[in-house]
């Protein structure tokens, strides 16, 4: 099963039977946020919220990427990893 749109890719992730690695989850999150909201202009989370900081940094690393490019990368990445998790 291959996704062609970000909506189809999001639906595909909901069918995963096991959880992707933390690194994969961060990439999924960052590409999704970049595709839907653009560059990260939120305030950096506090120093001891490591999960929020990791998500913030992952999204920040996508800065400058267009929403359409991030959307296509998101779809491609979900298609790439989905055989492992379906």
């Amino acid at each position: 099963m291959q996704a062609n749109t970000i909506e189809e890719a999001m639906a595909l992730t909901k069918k995963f039977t096991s959880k992707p690695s933390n690194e994969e989850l961060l990439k999924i999150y960052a590409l999704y946020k970049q595709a839907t909201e653009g560059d990260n202009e939120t305030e950096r989370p506090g120093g001891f919220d490591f999960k929020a900081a990791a998500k913030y940094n992952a999204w920040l690393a996508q800065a400058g990427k267009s929403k359409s490019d991030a959307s296509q990368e998101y779809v491609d990445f979900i298609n790439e990893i989905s055989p492992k998790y379906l």
Side-chain angles (χ1 to χ4, degrees):
M1 179 184 298
Q2 292 281 303
N4 295 310
T5 66
I6 196 166
E7 292 80 13
E8 290 175 1
M10 288 171 40
L12 193 56
T13 64
K14 291 177 176 31
K15 296 177 182 175
F16 285 3
T17 57
S18 59
K19 185 177 173 182
S21 71
N22 286 339
E23 187 175 300
E24 289 167 330
L25 288 171
L26 282 173
K27 184 170 182 175
I28 291 168
Y29 171 83
L31 287 171
Y32 176 79
K33 293 295 272 185
Q34 190 69 20
T36 58
E37 297 184 31
D39 288 349
N40 184 352
E41 296 178 1
T42 62
E43 193 171 309
R44 182 176 289 280
F48 291 104
D49 191 345
F50 298 115
K51 183 177 179 181
K55 290 168 75 174
Y56 176 90
N57 290 333
W59 182 13
L60 195 63
Q62 301 296 323
K65 188 174 291 175
S66 73
K67 288 183 177 184
S68 62
D69 285 349
S71 181
Q72 187 58 55
E73 280 189 46
Y74 178 89
V75 170
D76 292 345
F77 186 63
I78 296 303
N79 286 333
E80 176 187 324
I81 67 168
S82 64
K84 292 193 288 189
Y85 301 110
L86 288 174

